[in-house]
């Protein structure tokens, strides 16, 4: 037995290395003549690659890790193994800190591994210790864990990681070991550059898994996608020996697909955060125990689930990036047996995600007040996902190259390598379908993304804006009309966005022309804008020329004299950029957008203060354990429409649909998957004879499904908006609302002194009610929503109360309510409730 193997056994209790890569990496680090880059999937045993050499080398290994919580885990684990490992961090009691520093200053320190955060590395207080260790040649290795945090292209970027480049320069001659999970090539290159790795030896687990067969089916070409899915599942499951996962983006799709599959003959259970904990656990345990072969889940499912016999992973909706797709689909075939990974692709789905991702990027930029090249990263990640689906080429090769691996020998393990003609034929049919239904050719009513809704599976639900419909579920009859209204609204928003973003460089994945299936959101935007113009213009209308100027990116000066709120308009707004002659309608649309943004900014201000938004990335708050699992949340604001029933001049109506950050915070704080959201859903800003007023028609608390929390991918909690028929002020408390509106441009602090708005009250109410909902104190989710709505109105209407008062009253009402009844079964349960006179 070699010394390394012996050490592996003695110190860690392992008989052998987990993989050849692990063994090779350990040996390379031990050799110590080169930097080492370890790229292995989560759980592959990367830590051992520096921990074992650290124990065998003389001196101390300095380990940089991004989070104190992660560090504590590691240190505890090592202490349990009797490995001399410690950490210096801000949470350390000073006595312990002194003890560690004393050891480090001693002639031959006992410590073998010293864990610190990148902030600590840079902190002045740590410098003497570091310099002393350096000067005495006591540093054996520099290990940088979670090295992807150095990449500004990654989601977990930590500016302090960039300082590690300087550290690296100071530690000349100390070999560096950088470790991260499988990462896109772009990120790998960033790591090498930033950490100044000198032609490192790279140890990576090959991305290619030959037992996985990848294919892509264009869902919209199928007469019945569910029947198609059923046939696929049956074939993949073969003789009932395995199981499968179908990933959907929304809980509604989960329910629907599970229901359809079960009805068609394969038992399937939904798994999503909208389910009661018991039901969700049951779905999982039944699936784990092979009692139910198929689980239809949002992507929250699978983390930590290591089931060997998953015979297929279907993506009913697109993943947000190729990296995510690789990880999710990789849950298939862990036993090494042949398994299938399929995407049921739909351009509509693509466009929804594209739109939401872009919106999220704009939101971030607006918040920051500037643009960064790296902002585009999520879009590029997503476009790689789209390209994967729309390409003519080996799917395995695409994945491997994305992760910087050499092209593998697919040998028929993907649809293209199996039969390229079939893939080409499918693409041609899809392109033909898109052309047939494309904006320029079709006069049929279209969905929000310029696609004919009738051609897409799922009908009303197929739009993916279920929550938008949800609030109006009972009004089935005019759903088509409302759908159209929403379509209009969406197109207008897209048009405006086009104006605002057209000067930005487009990050293209080489998509084809706009009449084909392969349209970027920009193309769609262009089309929708053209379409809007086509509908509105008369022959010879100058709008055409202006449109072209917009299209070609020329700056235009907007005539804003007619805007009654010009003075309040932020000059940094992309929409306020000078533009030439715009029609009155365009001006109004643009103005409406500005106003909307101001409203949005107002709500945005609140977001800044919440831990939720501060988190922003997986590892952005080193001291905050609670922030670890957050991914950036999409903002669901910014929908603008023109009132389709009135004239151009008077009908511009901005509709704001806004998630409540504090409700999200409530939902995510304790990690429970039930997400409560409130939409300050209809801040309707209209123009009435040139006078700007802010209409707030209503705020409805409602619960929606938190895919966005689970996967970081946006889910649109938009609800059908009531487009206002006239522009009369319709508001529950115009004074309050208008004051708030003004506050957007002025003193934010004013807000706290104002009486609570309905939205704020709703936030408070949902927070107070949430625990009761989680305890199953409401017979249905709708009851919870209605009760929250009822209470919010009760606590605000005709009153002026501050936050504290509202909170106290809400608490006392809710407490009293549940002291009288065990469980809320119907709306009559709260009929008697009244607020005490203040
Ligand atoms: N040779 C081995 N034999 C058995 N178990 C091992 C071996 N090497 C590591 N492990 C165990 O594998 C688990 C995962 O290891 P580790 O935490 O280092 O993974 P990782 O690759 O760093 O994952 P992450 O990306 O989550 O940090 C640990 O419980 C570790 O003890
Ligand atoms: Zn292939």
């Amino acid at each position: 037995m070699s010394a390394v193997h012996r050490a592996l056994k003695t110190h860690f209790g392992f008989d052998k290395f987990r993989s050849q890569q692990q063994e090779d990496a350990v040996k390379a680090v031990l050799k110590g003549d080169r930097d080492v880059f370890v790229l292995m999937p989560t759980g592959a045993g990367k830590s051992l690659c520096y921990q074992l050499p650290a124990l065998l080398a003389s001196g101390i290994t300095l380990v940089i890790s991004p989070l104190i919580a992660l560090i504590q885990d590691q240190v505890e684990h090592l202490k349990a193994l009797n490995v001399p490992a410690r950490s210096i961090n801000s949470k350390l009691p000073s006595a312990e800190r002194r003890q560690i520093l004393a050891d480090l200053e001693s002639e031959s320190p006992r410590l073998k591994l010293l864990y610190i955060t990148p902030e600590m590395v840079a902190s002045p207080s740590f410098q003497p210790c570091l310099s002393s260790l350096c000067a005495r040649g006591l540093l054996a290795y520099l290990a940088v864990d979670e090295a992807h945090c150095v990449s500004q292209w990654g989601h977990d970027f930590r500016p302090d990681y960039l300082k590690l480049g300087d550290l690296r320069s100071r530690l000349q001659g100390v070999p560096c070991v950088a470790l991260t999970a499988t990462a896109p090539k772009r990120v790998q290159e960033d790591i090498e550059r930033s950490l100044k790795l000198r032609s490192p030896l790279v140890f990576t687990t090959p991305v290619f898994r030959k037992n996985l067969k990848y294919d892509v089916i264009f869902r919209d070409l199928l007469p019945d996608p569910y029947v198609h899915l059923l046939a696929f599942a049956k074939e993949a499951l073969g003789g009932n020996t395995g199981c499968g996962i179908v990933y959907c983006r929304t809980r509604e799709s989960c329910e629907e697909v599970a229901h359809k599959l079960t009805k068609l003959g394969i038992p399937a259970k939904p798994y999503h955060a909208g389910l009661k904990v018991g039901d969700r656990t049951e779905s999982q345990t039944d699936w784990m125990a092979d009692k139910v072969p198929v689980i239809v889940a949002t992507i929250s499912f699978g983390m930590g689930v290591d089931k060997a016999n998953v015979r297929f992973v279907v993506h009913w909706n697109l993943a947000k990036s190729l990296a995510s797709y690789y990880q999710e689909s990789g849950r298939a075939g862990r036993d090494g047996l042949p398994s299938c990974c399929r995407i049921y692709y739909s351009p509509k789905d693509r466009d929804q995600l594209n739109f939401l991702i872009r919106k999220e990027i704009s939101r971030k930029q607006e918040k920051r007040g500037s643009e960064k090249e790296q902002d585009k990263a999520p879009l590029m990640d997503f476009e790689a996902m789209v390209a994967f689906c729309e390409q003519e080429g080996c799917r395995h090769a695409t994945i491997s190259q994305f992760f910087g691996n050499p092209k593998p020998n697919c040998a028929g393990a993907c649809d293209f390598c199996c039969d390229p003609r079939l893939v080409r034929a499918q693409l041609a049919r899809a392109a033909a379908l898109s052309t047939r239904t494309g904006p320029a050719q079709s006069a049929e009513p279209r969905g929000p993304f310029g696609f004919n809704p009738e051609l897409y599976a799922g009908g009303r639900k197929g739009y993916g804006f279920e929550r938008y419909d949800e609030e109006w579920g009972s009004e089935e009859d005019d759903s088509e009309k409302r759908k159209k209204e929403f379509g209009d609204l969406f197109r207008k928003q897209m048009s405006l966005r086009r104006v605002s973003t057209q000067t930005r460089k487009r990050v293209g994945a080489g998509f084809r022309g706009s009449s084909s299936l392969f349209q970027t959101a920009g193309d769609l935007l262009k089309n929708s804008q053209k379409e809007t113009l086509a509908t509105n213009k008369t022959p010879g209308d100058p709008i055409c020329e202006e449109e072209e100027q917009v299209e070609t990116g020329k700056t235009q000066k907007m005539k804003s004299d007619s805007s009654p709120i010009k003075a309040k308009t932020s000059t940094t707004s992309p929409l306020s950029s000078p533009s030439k002659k715009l029609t009155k309608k365009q001006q109004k649309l643009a103005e409406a957008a500005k106003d909307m943004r101001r409203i949005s900014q107002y709500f945005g201000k609140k977001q800044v203060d919440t831990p939720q938004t501060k988190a922003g990335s997986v590892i952005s708050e080193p001291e905050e354990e609670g922030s670890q699992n957050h991914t950036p949340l999409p903002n669901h604001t910014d929908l603008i429409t023109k009132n389709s029933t009135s004239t151009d001049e008077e009908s511009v109506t901005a509709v704001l649909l806004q998630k409540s950050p504090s409700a999200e915070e409530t939902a995510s704080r304790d990690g429970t998957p039930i997400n409560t959201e409130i939409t300050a859903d209809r801040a309707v800003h209209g123009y009435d004879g040139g006078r700007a007023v802010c209409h707030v028609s209503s705020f409805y608390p409602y619960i929606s499904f938190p895919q966005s929390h689970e996967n970081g991918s946006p889910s649109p909690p938009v609800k059908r908006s009531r487009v206002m028929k006239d522009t009369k002020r319709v508001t529950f408390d115009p004074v309050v609302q208008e004051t708030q509106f003004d506050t957007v441009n002025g003193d934010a602090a004013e807000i706290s002194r104002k009486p609570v708005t309905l939205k704020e009250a709703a936030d408070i109410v949902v927070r107070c009610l949430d625990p009761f909902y989680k305890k199953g104190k409401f017979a249905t989710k709708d009851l919870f929503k209605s009760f929250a709505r009822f209470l919010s109105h009760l606590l605000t209407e005709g009153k002026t109360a501050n936050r504290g008062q509202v909170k106290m009253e809400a608490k006392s009402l809710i407490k009293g309510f549940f002291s009288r009844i065990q469980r809320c079964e119907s709306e009559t349960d709260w009929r008697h409730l009244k607020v005490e006179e203040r």
Side-chain angles (χ1 to χ4, degrees):
M1 194 191 257
S2 72
V4 182
H5 279 90
R6 249 198 323 278
L8 180 68
K9 179 76 185 162
T10 336
H11 296 291
F12 295 94
F14 301 138
D15 293 322
K16 53 184 174 42
F17 285 99
R18 199 156 219 191
S19 61
Q20 193 58 48
Q21 285 86 6
Q22 191 188 45
E23 179 169 355
D24 293 347
V26 166
K27 288 180 175 167
V29 175
L30 262 177
K31 217 169 161 206
D33 56 344
R34 299 266 296 270
D35 289 339
V36 169
F37 193 0
V38 182
L39 273 151
M40 290 180 194
T42 300
K46 290 186 286 293
S47 320
L48 194 98
C49 300
Y50 63 83
Q51 287 168 348
L52 185 53
L55 289 175
L56 294 172
S58 65
I60 294 156
T61 295
L62 190 64
V63 188
I64 315 294
S65 180
L67 274 177
I68 294 176
L70 285 181
I71 290 179
Q72 282 170 341
D73 260 12
Q74 289 269 7
V75 171
E76 288 313 311
H77 174 70
L78 291 170
K79 274 183 180 172
L81 294 170
N82 272 327
V83 171
R86 291 289 183 276
S87 160
I88 298 182
N89 61 61
S90 55
K91 292 190 174 168
L92 202 67
S94 52
E96 204 176 321
R97 188 192 182 97
R98 275 197 302 276
Q99 207 181 21
I100 295 171
L101 288 173
D103 179 60
L104 292 175
E105 280 157 20
S106 69
E107 205 171 315
S108 46
R110 283 187 50 252
L111 214 57
K112 297 306 290 178
L113 290 127
L114 177 65
Y115 282 79
I116 51 173
T117 60
E119 290 78 10
M120 183 57 75
V121 170
S123 88
S125 61
F126 184 65
Q127 298 318 304
C129 173
L130 188 62
S131 304
S132 156
L133 289 172
C134 253
R136 291 181 291 148
L138 280 177
L139 286 177
Y141 302 107
L142 170 68
V144 182
D145 206 0
E146 313 290 351
H148 60 279
C149 293
V150 85
S151 173
Q152 300 194 47
W153 292 105
H155 293 292
D156 306 336
F157 172 59
R158 289 277 298 277
D160 281 306
Y161 258 69
L162 286 176
K163 295 177 188 156
L164 298 180
D166 294 340
L167 175 72
R168 182 80 185 89
S169 308
R170 277 172 69 189
L171 305 182
Q172 296 290 341
V174 178
C176 179
V177 189
L179 308 102
T180 188
T182 316
K185 194 163 191 330
R186 196 175 60 226
V187 175
Q188 295 175 26
E189 288 165 355
D190 252 8
I191 295 172
E192 286 192 29
R193 197 177 45 251
S194 303
L195 294 182
K196 303 189 171 116
L197 301 182
R198 288 174 300 246
S199 44
L201 290 164
V202 181
F203 296 91
T204 175
T205 313
V207 162
F208 176 58
R209 288 170 58 196
K210 62 177 187 295
N211 64 321
L212 299 187
K213 168 150 191 207
Y214 281 92
D215 68 5
V216 177
I217 300 289
F218 280 66
R219 183 146 49 101
D220 308 319
L221 297 174
L222 305 172
D224 187 335
Y226 298 108
V227 170
H228 198 275
L229 172 64
L230 176 87
F232 167 75
K234 275 191 169 163
E235 199 186 325
L237 292 177
N240 285 340
T241 50
C243 59
I245 306 173
V246 180
Y247 281 118
C248 299
R249 188 147 49 91
T250 65
R251 68 176 160 182
E252 289 84 359
S253 311
C254 290
E255 295 284 350
E256 181 143 9
V257 173
H259 172 72
K260 285 270 167 50
L261 277 181
T262 308
K263 216 169 83 181
L264 290 169
I266 289 195
K269 281 201 169 177
Y271 179 101
H272 56 73
L275 292 172
K276 286 202 182 109
V277 178
D279 294 344
R280 203 171 51 240
T281 314
E282 188 184 287
S283 291
Q284 179 166 346
T285 44
D286 284 358
W287 182 79
M288 289 297 286
D290 290 326
K291 283 191 199 157
V292 173
V294 180
I295 193 152
V296 187
T298 55
I299 60 148
S300 63
F301 180 77
M303 315 252 182
V305 171
D306 195 4
K307 198 168 191 296
N309 63 343
V310 178
R311 293 282 71 86
F312 71 82
V313 173
V314 160
H315 277 71
W316 197 245
N317 298 106
L318 268 185
K320 67 175 176 169
S321 67
L322 192 54
S324 310
Y325 179 61
Y326 174 68
Q327 194 191 21
E328 289 151 26
S329 60
R331 292 184 180 125
R334 291 215 169 131
D335 54 8
L337 296 176
S339 308
C340 302
C341 305
R342 167 168 291 182
I343 298 174
Y344 279 98
Y345 181 66
S346 155
K348 172 196 64 186
D349 194 32
R350 168 201 65 195
D351 298 331
Q352 285 179 357
L353 263 171
N354 196 331
F355 173 76
L356 291 166
I357 291 169
R358 282 171 189 268
K359 197 145 70 67
E360 172 60 9
I361 293 172
S362 316
R363 189 187 67 79
K364 266 194 194 162
Q365 290 174 336
E366 275 167 23
K367 214 167 109 186
R368 192 198 301 130
S370 64
E371 295 178 19
K372 279 189 195 167
E373 187 68 12
Q374 290 79 10
D375 292 341
K376 293 172 190 160
L379 205 56
M380 291 168 74
D381 291 347
F382 178 64
E383 288 186 344
M385 178 73 259
V386 171
F388 174 89
C389 297
E390 295 184 349
Q391 72 180 7
E392 289 175 21
C394 172
R395 316 268 181 204
H396 277 292
T398 305
I399 295 176
S400 289
Q401 280 160 8
F402 179 77
F403 289 111
N405 282 201
K407 197 172 164 193
N409 176 16
C410 174
C414 84
D415 51 354
F416 186 81
C417 295
C418 250
D419 193 343
R421 282 168 314 166
L422 283 183
V423 172
R424 285 191 191 113
Q426 179 177 240
L427 286 167
R429 282 172 60 220
L433 177 71
S434 166
T435 308
R436 266 210 313 282
T437 59
Q441 281 79 14
S442 172
E444 291 163 313
R446 256 176 241 108
F449 299 92
F451 290 92
N452 184 341
E454 303 312 321
L455 291 166
Y456 292 91
R460 200 166 83 101
K461 296 263 182 199
Y463 277 94
F465 285 99
E466 288 82 349
R467 267 165 301 288
Y468 182 73
D469 286 330
E470 194 173 272
E471 200 63 40
W472 298 74
S474 54
E475 296 171 46
E476 290 291 335
D477 290 345
D478 68 1
S479 67
E480 278 313 309
K481 183 176 152 251
R482 285 182 281 108
K483 199 185 286 179
K484 188 180 173 309
E485 282 169 359
F486 181 67
D488 291 341
L489 176 143
F490 191 89
R491 271 193 295 273
K492 295 298 178 306
Q493 166 64 2
M494 295 282 267
S495 302
L496 286 165
R497 222 151 253 286
R498 176 78 178 88
V499 175
S500 72
T501 57
Q502 47 86 21
T503 50
R504 289 175 203 159
K505 196 175 144 209
R506 200 165 83 207
V507 189
F511 297 132
R512 298 168 196 177
S514 60
S515 65
S516 85
L517 169 76
F518 307 96
Q519 299 177 73
T520 60
D523 296 330
L524 281 161
L525 206 45
K526 202 154 132 186
N527 289 331
S528 71
Q529 198 174 20
K530 277 187 182 150
E531 192 190 12
T532 311
L533 294 165
T535 339
N536 294 312
K537 75 180 180 196
T538 50
D541 191 327
I543 199 168
C544 271
E545 291 154 37
E546 284 172 12
E547 183 58 20
E548 268 156 29
Q549 284 168 355
V550 170
E551 293 293 335
T552 52
K554 285 182 198 158
T555 357
Q556 304 186 352
K557 184 174 178 342
M558 186 191 287
K559 246 193 188 171
S560 48
D561 307 344
S562 58
S563 162
I565 48 169
K566 183 186 164 201
K568 291 180 186 174
T569 307
S570 154
T571 49
T572 56
S573 158
L575 282 165
S576 66
S577 62
S579 68
K580 224 169 64 186
K581 225 166 42 175
L582 290 184
T583 63
K584 208 168 173 184
K585 190 189 79 189
Q586 279 181 314
Q587 286 172 28
K588 286 188 170 180
L589 280 168
E591 288 298 334
K594 282 187 282 189
D595 297 344
M596 169 211 67
R597 205 185 348 266
R598 280 151 50 182
I599 299 170
S600 166
Q601 277 164 2
Y602 159 64
F603 288 112
K605 270 181 187 154
K606 276 188 70 184
Q607 285 187 342
V608 172
D609 300 333
T610 65
Q612 176 73 43
T613 39
K614 260 195 228 159
S617 64
V618 176
I619 308 171
S620 65
E621 287 281 293
E623 306 291 324
E624 281 296 329
E625 286 186 51
S627 70
Q628 284 175 48
N629 294 319
H630 292 306
T631 45
L633 284 160
N635 182 310
H636 302 287
T637 57
D638 303 4
L639 296 173
I640 292 192
T641 188
K642 178 179 85 62
N643 182 344
S644 53
T645 57
S646 49
T647 64
D648 285 354
E649 280 70 25
E650 290 165 0
S651 61
V652 180
T653 309
V655 179
L656 172 77
L657 303 175
Q658 167 77 40
K659 281 174 78 168
S660 157
S662 46
E664 282 162 0
E665 184 198 339
T666 312
S668 60
R669 223 179 9 211
D670 58 4
T672 48
I674 293 168
N675 173 32
T676 47
E677 286 172 350
I678 299 171
T679 47
D681 60 354
R682 293 173 202 107
V684 181
H685 183 235
Y687 289 83
D688 195 353
R691 177 168 149 60
V693 280
C694 178
H695 300 285
V696 177
S697 56
S698 59
F699 295 100
Y700 291 147
Y702 75 113
I703 300 179
S704 90
F705 180 50
Q707 298 82 280
S708 50
H709 291 271
E710 295 155 352
N711 58 14
S713 75
S715 63
V718 276
K719 296 180 292 167
R720 195 165 300 286
S721 59
R722 272 184 292 212
V723 176
M724 296 184 63
K725 188 127 189 171
D726 61 44
T727 55
K728 293 225 170 72
R729 187 180 298 179
V730 183
T731 162
F732 65 93
D733 189 347
V735 178
V736 170
Q737 286 309 313
E738 285 184 358
T739 326
Q740 283 175 346
F741 184 68
D742 288 340
T743 324
V744 173
N745 292 318
D747 180 10
E750 268 294 291
I751 295 167
S752 61
R753 294 199 289 272
K754 304 283 174 214
V756 288
T757 62
L758 184 55
K759 181 193 172 297
E760 288 165 337
D763 269 359
I764 295 168
V765 166
V766 168
R767 247 182 237 219
C768 298
L769 271 186
D770 196 37
F772 294 90
Y773 179 76
K774 284 175 195 155
K775 280 189 222 149
K777 293 275 190 183
F778 287 91
T780 66
K781 182 192 75 183
D782 284 338
L783 271 177
F784 169 82
K785 282 159 51 177
S786 302
F787 189 42
R789 190 178 308 159
F790 168 83
L791 280 182
S792 315
H793 281 267
L794 188 69
L795 291 163
T796 48
E797 268 165 12
K799 300 169 199 75
T800 46
N802 62 31
R803 286 188 72 85
Q805 281 172 313
V806 169
K807 196 169 171 181
M808 261 169 48
E809 280 170 0
K811 277 191 171 166
S812 113
L813 278 171
I814 294 166
K815 204 171 154 202
F817 179 68
F818 283 109
S819 68
R820 282 188 293 275
I821 57 163
Q822 268 298 317
R823 187 164 188 256
C824 178
E825 304 281 353
S826 95
E827 302 210 354
T828 52
D829 289 350
W830 64 72
R831 232 185 238 157
H832 62 280
L833 282 187
K834 280 197 207 84
V835 185
E836 300 296 314
E837 283 304 312
R838 293 192 181 102

